[in-house]
Amino acid sequence: MAGERFQSFGRATPAAKRTIAADTAVELMKSGKAKANGLLAYGNGRSYGDSCQNEPGAVVDMRPLNRIGAFDAETGLLEAEAGVLLSDIIARAASYGFFPAVVPGTQFVTLGGAIANDVHGKNHHRRGTFGCHVESLTLLRSDGRTYTCSATDNARLFAATIGGMGLTGLILSASIRLMRVPSLDIVETAARFADLGEFFELAEAADQANEYAVAWIDQLAGGHGRGRGLLLSGNHAEHGSHAASRAGSRLSVPIQPPFNVLNRPFLTAFNAAYRWKKGRSSEPRQTGYQGFFFPLDGVGDWNRLYGPKGLYQHQSVVPEHAARQTVPALLDAARRAGQGSFLTVLKRFGSIRSPGLLSFPRPGFTLTLDFPNRGGKTLALLGELDRITVAAGGAVNPYKDARMSAETFAASFPDWQQLEALRDPAFISSFWLRTAKKLEMPRGRVEAVEQVQFEQIMVNRS
């Protein structure tokens, strides 16, 4: 049985009903016997919604493909299979003075998943997305052929696969370029801000001065405290550890609580404690990379705290010119709905463009909110957050989503037809079925899109 092992991280959508081993899927595809919509790669299940689920078919467990191949300790070029975790890459390269150029909020994502979702981190303003550092990848398609894809070889497939949510075929391996760092430790500075206006005044300067910058918002604070938070910035320490910490959880949530533990009283107390602990001093302090990049990795299965109905995460990005009005509007909508967010993160995306066709980050500000699943009440709020975002010219993150409408997706990603044109017919996701396929664009018409149109879109994105 698939069970929790093949569930999404948000746990608000059903777990995969059918699974298939990676080697079995490879043989099936090489023989040309893969059925239409029958497959979807599954990494380590850190996607929050149904972009990692395949209701009509099966998910392919990629975790056994977890070997790291060549690593050049001079250039930082590393080759690895798609099922390798970022934690393993960090451990392999740390002693040589290298670190992934981009890491998301957890190190327990696979290399293939990081590429398929084109993940971003706290340094988008400096390094762009994960896809910016992919030199090449090996892609197996259901025509039985294996394609080596890069910016110069099979460039259309390369662009569609980065951020393509696993729909272009099976990523078998990839070559990525790591970033040289003086140490893994981070010198972190916490600056308090009284409201969002003060944050926006600080944000650009923080980006210019630091490799990493992200803000935490006390989403429940009202009155004079509304919009208060902490701007956390950091840089790799000149003198620090080159040893990777053991990738594991010191604590864990061993069982599923029968109710949502992260209720309003808890969140109020947590926010006060977090703001005091992190913001009690504005002096720089040196800390380990685990606590700076992956604080929640220290608590295994922490998503269980949201109760048996799971959680929804909403991540939006809005243009810089609209952010001062839109971000407060999003937070106000959540407060009016009586919904508390455990993690409320705000950061600035820079202007570095991803090579990916459907990459989520774009210049502006991105806000991330987590809500326990309370049924219709929560869905109504998320719909309102979508409306505010799209009206501001923004986008909603698909690999954090479990319920956005087809219309919201199309407004967020107007070039989605280009991915449909390159989608492997054997691959589909529950997300793609409820969004792109509901837009009823005939596949034959999509496939007729000319190469010149694709090239023009990529020119416009550069």
XYZ file of all heavy atoms in Angstrom, residues 70-78 92-93 95-99 176-181:
178
model
N 30.284 11.698 -10.179
C 31.505 12.504 -10.182
C 31.306 13.830 -9.460
O 30.237 14.432 -9.526
C 31.944 12.754 -11.623
N 32.354 14.259 -8.763
C 32.367 15.577 -8.138
C 33.733 16.193 -8.355
O 34.755 15.621 -7.977
C 32.047 15.493 -6.646
C 32.204 16.802 -5.930
C 31.464 17.908 -6.303
C 33.123 16.938 -4.895
C 31.619 19.132 -5.664
C 33.287 18.147 -4.243
C 32.530 19.251 -4.634
N 33.756 17.365 -8.957
C 34.997 18.085 -9.217
C 35.222 19.077 -8.081
O 34.524 20.094 -7.979
C 34.900 18.816 -10.559
C 36.230 19.424 -10.993
O 37.014 19.825 -10.119
O 36.469 19.512 -12.214
N 36.179 18.788 -7.228
C 36.431 19.620 -6.051
C 37.082 20.951 -6.402
O 37.229 21.813 -5.528
C 37.326 18.866 -5.063
N 37.465 21.151 -7.658
C 38.022 22.420 -8.094
C 36.938 23.379 -8.593
O 36.969 24.579 -8.317
C 39.062 22.194 -9.196
C 40.281 21.421 -8.743
C 41.073 22.152 -7.683
O 41.166 23.398 -7.770
O 41.599 21.485 -6.763
N 35.980 22.820 -9.337
C 34.942 23.662 -9.950
C 33.598 23.585 -9.249
O 32.739 24.439 -9.468
C 34.737 23.261 -11.413
O 34.207 21.920 -11.467
C 36.043 23.313 -12.185
N 33.387 22.563 -8.417
C 32.094 22.399 -7.755
C 31.049 21.741 -8.625
O 29.866 21.733 -8.271
N 31.442 21.150 -9.734
C 30.492 20.471 -10.619
C 30.228 19.071 -10.072
O 31.171 18.285 -9.862
C 31.043 20.392 -12.035
C 30.039 20.020 -13.136
C 28.974 21.097 -13.275
C 30.764 19.809 -14.462
N 28.959 18.768 -9.846
C 28.564 17.487 -9.242
C 27.524 16.798 -10.099
O 26.588 17.441 -10.579
C 28.033 17.723 -7.829
C 27.550 16.508 -7.041
C 27.938 16.638 -5.557
C 26.034 16.318 -7.144
N 28.357 15.577 0.871
C 29.432 15.192 -0.052
C 30.388 16.358 -0.323
O 31.602 16.167 -0.433
C 28.810 14.719 -1.376
C 29.826 14.330 -2.457
C 30.512 13.029 -2.101
N 31.389 12.594 -3.183
C 32.658 13.003 -3.345
N 33.178 13.882 -2.485
N 33.389 12.547 -4.347
N 29.857 17.552 -0.437
C 30.660 18.683 -0.900
C 31.196 19.562 0.217
O 32.085 20.389 -0.024
C 29.829 19.537 -1.854
N 33.151 19.369 2.931
C 34.562 19.419 3.326
C 35.452 20.044 2.263
O 36.590 20.431 2.547
C 35.058 18.004 3.656
O 34.977 17.169 2.510
N 34.945 20.165 1.038
C 35.702 20.782 -0.047
C 35.385 22.274 -0.184
O 35.905 22.940 -1.077
C 35.410 20.074 -1.369
C 35.810 18.616 -1.373
C 34.883 17.626 -1.089
C 37.128 18.242 -1.641
C 35.250 16.283 -1.084
C 37.501 16.900 -1.639
C 36.556 15.930 -1.356
O 36.929 14.599 -1.351
N 34.526 22.781 0.687
C 34.212 24.203 0.654
C 33.128 24.569 -0.342
O 33.106 25.701 -0.835
N 32.213 23.631 -0.616
C 31.116 23.909 -1.542
C 29.774 23.664 -0.866
O 29.653 22.842 0.050
C 31.223 23.042 -2.797
C 32.283 23.493 -3.758
C 33.550 22.932 -3.722
C 32.019 24.489 -4.689
C 34.543 23.347 -4.600
C 32.999 24.915 -5.576
C 34.264 24.343 -5.531
N 28.766 24.369 -1.361
C 27.401 24.293 -0.840
C 26.469 24.538 -2.027
O 26.826 25.275 -2.958
C 27.201 25.377 0.232
C 25.939 25.250 1.036
C 25.830 24.293 2.031
C 24.867 26.111 0.808
C 24.672 24.196 2.795
C 23.710 26.019 1.559
C 23.613 25.048 2.559
N 24.985 19.542 -11.668
C 24.733 20.868 -11.125
C 26.041 21.493 -10.669
O 27.002 20.791 -10.341
C 23.733 20.834 -9.944
C 24.292 20.006 -8.778
C 22.392 20.278 -10.398
C 23.451 20.080 -7.513
N 26.071 22.822 -10.656
C 27.262 23.532 -10.212
C 27.013 24.117 -8.818
O 26.080 24.889 -8.615
C 27.620 24.640 -11.195
C 29.014 25.220 -10.968
C 29.427 26.144 -12.100
N 29.536 25.463 -13.370
C 30.600 24.750 -13.763
N 31.626 24.622 -12.940
N 30.625 24.182 -14.947
N 27.838 23.699 -7.871
C 27.711 24.163 -6.501
C 28.461 25.486 -6.310
O 29.234 25.912 -7.162
C 28.248 23.112 -5.528
C 27.630 21.706 -5.644
C 28.227 20.774 -4.600
C 26.124 21.749 -5.516
N 28.226 26.110 -5.189
C 28.795 27.422 -4.876
C 29.919 27.268 -3.851
O 29.750 26.582 -2.837
C 27.682 28.324 -4.310
C 28.138 29.671 -3.818
S 26.715 30.723 -3.319
C 26.117 29.820 -1.863
N 31.058 27.897 -4.133
C 32.147 27.859 -3.162
C 31.826 28.803 -1.995
O 31.400 29.943 -2.214
C 33.470 28.275 -3.809
C 34.664 28.099 -2.879
C 35.959 28.435 -3.571
N 36.312 27.461 -4.597
C 36.897 26.292 -4.352
N 37.158 25.934 -3.091
N 37.205 25.483 -5.334
N 32.002 28.324 -0.772
C 31.718 29.126 0.425
C 32.894 29.011 1.388
O 33.586 27.992 1.430
C 30.415 28.660 1.116
C 29.205 28.906 0.220
C 30.495 27.191 1.518
